[in-house]
Amino acid sequence: MLSGLFEFLFKYRLAVFEEGEFTLGAPLPLILIVGGAIVLAVPAMTTYFRVRGKSSARDRVVLTAIRVALLTVVVGCLFRPMLLLSEAVPRRNFVGVLLDDSRSMRIADRGDRARADFVRDTLGESSALLARLRERFQVRLFKFGTSSARADSAGGLTFEDRETRLVDAVEAARQDLDAVPLSGLVVVSDGADNALTEVNDALLNLRARGVPVFTVGVGAERFQRDIEVQRVEVARQVLLGGTLVADVIVRQRGFDGDTVPLVVEDEGRIVASATVRMPAGTEAAPVRVTVRMTEPGPRVLAFRIPLQDREQVVENNAQRSLVTVRDNVERVLYVEGEPRYEVRFIRAAVEADSNVQVVLLQRTAEGKFLRLGVSTGDELVAGFPKTRAELYRYRGIILGSIEASFFSHDQLTMLSDFVSVRGGGLLLLGGRRSFSEGGYAGTPLADAMPVVVEGAAIADSLTFFSDLVASITPAGLGHAVTQIGTARVSTADRWPQMPPVTSVNRIRRVKPGAVVLLNGRMPQGGRAGEPGETLSGYEQPIVAYQRFGRGLVVAMPVQDDWQWKMHADIPVEDLTFDTFWRQMLRWITSDVPGRVSTRATPDQVNPRSSVQLRSVVLDSAYLRVNDAKVSAIVTAPSGAQQTLALDWAVDEDGEYRGSFVPSEEGVYRVSTKADMAYGAVGDETFIRSAPLDAEYTLAEMRRPLMQRIADETGGRFYTPETVGTLPEDIAMTKRGVTVINQMDLWDMPVIFLLLVGLASSEWVYRKVRGLA
């Protein structure tokens, strides 16, 4: 009977390893091993615990444990366990090796050697690693940068490409080897990826096809000493003579606490500068710099930090931005409910500005208006516009002291849509008929305001009055509209020196998404509150704004900011008031889109790299149009022209797309025209084609991306120090043509030595304890 049981058990061979990973195998044999060990161990335990003799309780426990371990190994061997290994059949499978051929591989951060030297040494024709790969696989070499292609050898790489499209290259190599048994792909790179390809989509495709990617990261993960102008955020367009505010991120390694200069150049001419102090313990320092744009047309601004001592990378000390300086006339409609000084001084402040025109509609009596600055005799002849087409002709709107009941509900809705749909700028001035005092609570315009307007039952403002002294907020310090500093007095010091202004609009709260640029506080000896009420330390915003839909809404709840011009303390020649209002009106009209808006992605490219054009076409009511005929004339720096047809993007209303490849270096002009049943409209944008240094931005080896590609595809990540096991690791995958190798574990020498050791340990323990 016992022999029959063992014959039954031997039919089940437990494979304890599969592909080198521990598995439980079939549950029945495992249960039988454990059960058999327990059955055989029970008599041993019983024998030791019955026969006490000179042994102590500890002796019996130790001897029982040794005997149980010995019996467990014996029972396990009776099932003849095996190690099953899946291995690629030699030279029947293919491996694609992708070598980074971009300029960042020239960086010498491996001692005094460049990253490219590792590629040549490790995967050159005479390298041991490549020879071991070829012993096991059919190896296909690829090079990649701007594009990917087959390579004869690593020695033929030039490392000249100015872009790295890593994810695109992996997908291209997979497609190239799709018809052959593929064991995996090897990527040797520093991890830079300048393409717009979505990494998640590419990895999902590789996982679905079961292609493991083995990545080899080349380069230092952290430089010892380097300064980099990492990013510049700046408006794409600005009015001629306007102030451009640029936010620059400077990244550093090894320069903690140092001070470096940042200069802004326009065609080699320094137009602005700033001093950057590198904060200790952090890697990035933000700096904001303002530039006055005095030349029309496309301008290429260079933001540069001079080369510092012992920097590892010299090519990443500058970034360039393409800015279009528009020489247009922006028309702003100013609606005022009563004659007051504000009208006169605002119009006088911008009168000399050839790029801003204020069109005034001032109520002089019930149903009667004063019109100034109109283009034709019919403009605003019936009062405030009653149609969207009429209202949307303006780029900005100023609402003075005029009550909400002056407008119909449709007109209030139009004003709200002027901001959210048309993308215009709206400026709300203070006065006894403005904000809560004007009855705007609960109207369609209340949602657009950056401040909370309350009902008359909560705020009876006919008696509220406050003196306010301006102080600039941290947000205002870097904003173009609040820059009134001089060579002798900074903007932060200048604002508190300005004369006090007054407000009859009690503003208790700003909305969560609003930004306060200027804050007002009751001055010493001033007053705030209603008659008989004193609000000590009263504060409220003087300038606050928020984005609303596509546009901008600014609240300025003061009634006499002309004091900044006419106060006795202000010199006659002082132009602070004029500067402030020119900057204000330029700001609210700066980013207002037209009926055709064309955008190039990216707006700076390397020659012979594709540029995507995207145009949004709207009708006179600023509703998207799907049946327009849209074309673009692309003018090269040499004057050569080509005409592109932009096709409607079916997945997006009113959007038309196209692409082209610039072949020359310089600035390209793209003139877009949309023909519709009721006329044609157009737009203009610019693209810079030049050799870019994007390869040197964030030039340290990007381990997270390389690690992610390997982990999510079933591969492995290597460094130059660990890459030696690459051929064996690829061979152990189940990809391609494989063979299963089995090794009997039960008759391995180590098992015999384990049995001898356990038996000997029991005898030695007995001898030492005097139990033999």
Side-chain angles (χ1 to χ4, degrees), residues 148-281:
S148 62
R150 287 281 188 96
D152 295 329
S153 67
L157 303 182
T158 61
F159 305 100
E160 287 283 350
D161 282 10
R162 292 183 175 270
E163 295 180 54
T164 303
R165 301 181 179 272
L166 191 154
V167 176
D168 292 342
V170 171
E171 178 61 20
R174 184 203 61 77
Q175 293 179 6
D176 189 288
L177 301 174
D178 195 42
V180 299
L182 182 62
S183 288
L185 298 174
V186 179
V187 178
V188 184
S189 172
D190 54 19
D193 188 5
N194 316 127
L196 300 177
T197 306
E198 178 58 46
V199 176
N200 291 333
D201 295 341
L203 294 181
L204 182 63
N205 190 26
L206 289 169
R207 285 200 304 270
R209 296 178 179 271
V211 179
V213 180
F214 299 83
T215 57
V216 183
V218 185
E221 294 186 49
R222 182 182 176 90
F223 292 144
Q224 295 298 316
R225 190 171 174 84
D226 186 59
I227 288 182
E228 171 188 351
V229 180
Q230 179 180 335
R231 187 172 71 251
V232 176
E233 294 183 359
V234 67
R236 287 197 171 194
Q237 58 181 6
V238 65
L239 269 180
L240 179 64
T243 300
L244 188 72
V245 178
D247 291 311
V248 184
I249 302 297
V250 179
R251 189 168 178 260
Q252 61 89 16
R253 294 280 195 268
F255 286 88
D256 290 1
D258 290 2
T259 299
V260 297
L262 171 69
V263 296
V264 185
E265 300 174 356
D266 184 356
E267 296 184 353
R269 177 172 54 94
I270 296 178
V271 293
S273 63
T275 300
V276 185
R277 183 173 180 82
M278 301 299 176

Side-chain angles (χ1 to χ4, degrees), residues 429-455:
L429 300 181
R432 61 194 184 98
R433 295 187 176 93
S434 305
F435 299 101
S436 300
E437 297 70 26
Y440 282 91
T443 66
L445 201 55
D447 292 337
M449 294 183 183
V451 297
V452 177
V453 290
E454 299 168 328

Side-chain angles (χ1 to χ4, degrees), residues 350 626 765:
V350 300
N626 292 334
Y765 186 86

